[in-house]
Amino acid sequence: MGGRSLDLMYQFLICTSSALVAVAMYHFAFPKRRKRESDDEECQFKNFVKTAAKHGKSTVITTVNELLEAMSKAMDTQNFVNLTSKPKLRNDLIVDQIDLEISRLNDRLFTILSEASIESLPLAQLVKSGCRLPCCALDIGGTLTKLVVFKPGGGGGRDLKCHTYDPEREFCNDTDHDSGSIPVRLTATDTVHLKLYSFETKKIHTVVDFLKARGICNVRVSASGGGGHKFQELFQREIGVKLSSVDEMRSVITGVNHRLLTGSQEAFHYRWGLDAERKAYVSFAGKKSPFPYLLVNIGSGVSIIRVDQMDCYRRLSGSCLGGGSFFGLCKLLTGKYKFDEIVEMSRRGNINNVDLLVSDIYGQGFVKDIGLSDDLIASSFGKVAVADHSSETFSPEDMVRSLIFMFSNNLSQIACLIAERERIENIIFSGGFIRNNAYVWSKISFGLDFWSGSRFQALFMEHEGFLGALGAYLLHDKHEDEEVLQSPSEEATSSPGSSRQAAAGPA
């Protein structure tokens, strides 16, 4: 690249940067003229312009000016090395310096815009305006219901308060549902702590009783998932709670993005097959951008979503073989009806007792010639198919462990194929199916590594399964809180048993 080419590149960057600022100003001044873009690159650019314009035009202008100043210094450096260096050497120096400056400023801009995105969330706006926070939020899926509840104290810079709620009754003995707690940063100085609870959706009345016992009545509660629609009448009638339905996909992505951008101990790789500590945490907070990434959300079914920015995403694919399918088959095979019991059973199983391995077909050692290892699974439940059932039995633990591998392997292969098509490296798995199950993490990690030829690594979230409820909480809009909610009828409160008989039960 000669001096003339560098001059042209410099002029081109000036024109491009000026155009970027001009377009940002245009979108800021005429927001109604924007059109919905379907192309991924346009979607990313639109989100960048939208965020930059909303949170300060000076951010874009300052960053562009710094880039131009760095380019100017780079040009001065080139003029100096012209006298002493060979052409190839001086061109490499100038290009490397330009790349370094662009990378540095890009990281800085990402950090600034990430902070602005977090503080623009509806819940953060409630904190800034001094309003009371919502007491809880729900994610009601087809199999499990997740609940996040405001935990008094730990507000950081302010004494954060929530709506009608009795904190003295919050910490009763609920070991069957308690899933810990999580700190959620809302502003640079304010953090709220949330308690996490999980229930079976078929026992949705347990959730109603749970809220009623804590005095959470006659308020509006944000609810993600299909149950946000399905159980509106039930919650209103029983405890006067108005479920405000929040888009499920938006809730999950908001929860994931918030944790990625604020949590240093949230996203992790799982190093399968090692004896040492197996979680390797990956921090994006204030460091590098996780975008774009592929989100494989494994709830009752599976949704695969491409996420390009905080509020720029689209669903690419999915599968009907998800957590609901796994849970249903496990119930049929084991007779167990609690998800945690099934997960515990899987830890005691051995897939070699039920799955047909490559070595079972070809014998030991022969398969090296075709590039396969002896212990690869040729057919899940293959040994069950060829067994003499009059003399052989199979343990529930072995069958559950085989099912986990079968589902994990299938999902990792689908994710790999879509990631290759979309040219995305970051692949995040979330949802209740993988909650607190190291065996699932190891099998998905192994499957993705195998199918991608070690090009992709699976990422998991520390609080998977609760990200939809967290997102619904963060998206709580104060405007609807101005509604005056009517108390439940005297008949409903005095005779809950009779009202439940009239309620439409979950499927």
Side-chain angles (χ1 to χ4, degrees):
M1 183 185 296
R4 175 61 177 165
S5 298
L6 285 170
D7 289 338
L8 290 174
M9 182 177 69
Y10 183 49
Q11 294 299 323
F12 174 76
L13 280 174
I14 293 177
C15 294
T16 303
S17 302
S18 301
L20 175 63
V21 176
V23 174
M25 303 301 183
Y26 175 83
H27 280 270
F28 179 75
F30 305 101
K32 294 183 179 180
R33 296 189 183 184
R34 298 182 202 166
K35 296 180 180 179
R36 181 180 297 275
E37 297 90 356
S38 58
D39 183 78
D40 296 323
E41 287 74 16
E42 291 181 359
C43 185
Q44 292 183 59
F45 178 73
K46 167 191 166 186
N47 188 77
F48 171 84
V49 169
K50 172 183 174 183
T51 308
K54 182 176 181 180
H55 301 289
K57 301 181 288 294
S58 59
T59 297
V60 179
I61 296 173
T62 301
T63 305
V64 169
N65 286 338
E66 287 192 18
L67 177 58
L68 296 179
E69 182 180 351
M71 292 291 297
S72 179
K73 290 179 179 179
M75 293 298 293
D76 292 340
T77 302
Q78 187 213 14
N79 292 333
F80 173 76
V81 299
N82 271 341
L83 301 176
T84 57
S85 305
K86 295 180 180 180
K88 182 177 181 181
L89 175 60
R90 66 170 180 263
N91 290 341
D92 287 347
L93 285 173
I94 185 74
V95 171
D96 289 345
Q97 186 172 348
I98 292 170
D99 288 343
L100 181 62
E101 290 296 333
I102 291 175
S103 177
R104 181 182 67 83
L105 293 173
N106 181 66
D107 290 342
R108 178 184 170 188
L109 185 60
F110 167 71
T111 301
I112 294 171
L113 296 183
S114 296
E115 291 295 327
S117 296
I118 295 300
E119 296 198 12
S120 69
L121 289 169
L123 197 70
Q125 295 300 308
L126 286 180
V127 171
K128 290 180 179 180
S129 61
C131 297
R132 286 182 175 269
L133 301 183
C135 51
C136 64
L138 286 160
D139 177 19
I140 310 176
T143 306
L144 297 175
T145 293
K146 283 73 66 177
L147 170 69
V148 297
V149 180
F150 178 90
K151 181 179 177 181
R158 314 170 207 237
D159 183 19
L160 301 178
K161 303 291 186 181
C162 73
H163 287 292
T164 307
Y165 173 52
D166 186 351
E168 297 300 324
R169 290 186 287 178
E170 195 269 333
F171 296 107
C172 62
N173 185 21
D174 287 297
T175 55
D176 288 343
H177 307 295
D178 195 339
S179 298
S181 63
I182 180 176
V184 179
R185 184 168 67 81
L186 301 177
T187 70
T189 58
D190 297 293
T191 299
V192 62
H193 288 259
L194 300 177
K195 288 284 292 179
L196 311 177
Y197 298 96
S198 180
F199 307 82
E200 288 187 51
T201 300
K202 71 174 185 177
K203 300 177 182 178
I204 194 66
H205 287 290
T206 306
V207 182
V208 174
D209 294 338
F210 189 93
L211 297 179
K212 186 177 181 180
R214 285 152 185 76
I216 302 177
C217 303
N218 305 320
V219 294
R220 185 177 68 88
V221 172
S222 295
S224 174
H229 295 281
K230 182 175 181 180
F231 298 113
Q232 282 182 341
E233 182 182 348
L234 172 67
F235 278 77
Q236 178 73 64
R237 181 175 61 249
E238 293 274 347
I239 53 177
V241 167
K242 178 182 178 182
L243 294 186
S244 180
S245 182
V246 183
D247 179 76
E248 181 176 6
M249 191 180 300
R250 186 186 178 204
S251 295
V252 172
I253 291 169
T254 299
V256 172
N257 285 343
H258 185 278
R259 296 304 299 165
L260 287 177
L261 299 179
T262 63
S264 59
Q265 296 282 302
E266 183 63 44
F268 63 90
H269 298 299
Y270 193 78
R271 296 174 176 173
W272 46 274
L274 301 179
D275 295 329
E277 175 60 43
R278 296 190 173 187
K279 284 184 180 179
Y281 285 98
V282 179
S283 178
F284 296 99
K287 296 182 179 179
K288 58 181 179 179
S289 173
F291 305 111
Y293 67 82
L294 201 67
L295 178 64
V296 183
N297 190 49
I298 312 170
S300 297
V302 181
S303 289
I304 301 178
I305 307 161
R306 176 184 175 122
V307 183
D308 289 292
Q309 289 296 337
M310 192 70 178
D311 57 355
C312 182
Y313 54 87
R314 61 187 176 93
R315 189 178 188 275
L316 300 176
S317 186
S319 174
C320 60
L321 299 177
S325 310
F326 168 77
F327 196 23
L329 287 172
C330 285
K331 282 185 174 182
L332 291 174
L333 291 172
T334 67
K336 300 292 183 181
Y337 290 88
K338 289 187 177 180
F339 189 80
D340 290 339
E341 285 183 352
I342 290 174
V343 171
E344 184 60 34
M345 288 179 63
S346 71
R347 298 190 174 107
R348 303 191 299 268
N350 185 349
I351 61 173
N352 292 338
N353 295 331
V354 294
D355 292 345
L356 196 65
L357 306 182
V358 169
S359 60
D360 294 324
I361 300 174
Y362 290 95
Q364 293 288 338
F366 174 80
V367 293
K368 292 181 180 179
D369 296 333
I370 57 176
L372 298 175
S373 61
D374 293 330
D375 59 351
L376 281 178
I377 295 177
S379 174
S380 295
F381 285 85
K383 286 181 180 175
V384 178
V386 300
D388 181 1
H389 290 280
S390 62
S391 60
E392 294 188 50
T393 57
F394 301 93
S395 74
E397 291 81 2
D398 294 343
M399 290 187 287
V400 169
R401 199 168 180 88
S402 177
L403 274 177
I404 287 180
F405 188 93
M406 182 172 68
F407 276 79
S408 302
N409 196 40
N410 174 260
L411 293 174
S412 62
Q413 185 178 29
I414 293 174
C416 178
L417 293 172
I418 294 177
E420 286 182 337
R421 186 190 70 189
E422 297 293 318
R423 299 181 180 179
I424 293 178
E425 293 184 359
N426 290 329
I427 306 174
I428 300 175
F429 292 83
S430 68
F433 174 68
I434 63 176
R435 179 173 60 90
N436 196 29
N437 195 326
Y439 184 64
V440 173
W441 301 337
S442 68
K443 292 301 111 180
I444 289 179
S445 297
F446 168 79
L448 194 59
D449 179 83
F450 177 82
W451 294 115
S452 70
S454 300
R455 288 181 293 112
F456 299 144
Q457 280 186 290
L459 274 169
F460 304 97
M461 304 291 286
E462 195 68 46
H463 297 93
E464 74 278 341
F466 289 92
L467 299 171
L470 171 61
Y473 191 78
L474 292 169
L475 293 170
H476 184 94
D477 192 344
K478 69 177 181 180
H479 297 299
E480 291 189 33
D481 286 336
E482 297 174 359
E483 283 186 23
V484 178
L485 295 176
Q486 295 182 353
S487 300
S489 65
E490 293 182 3
E491 179 183 357
T493 54
S494 62
S495 57
S498 59
S499 63
R500 286 185 184 180
Q501 294 175 359

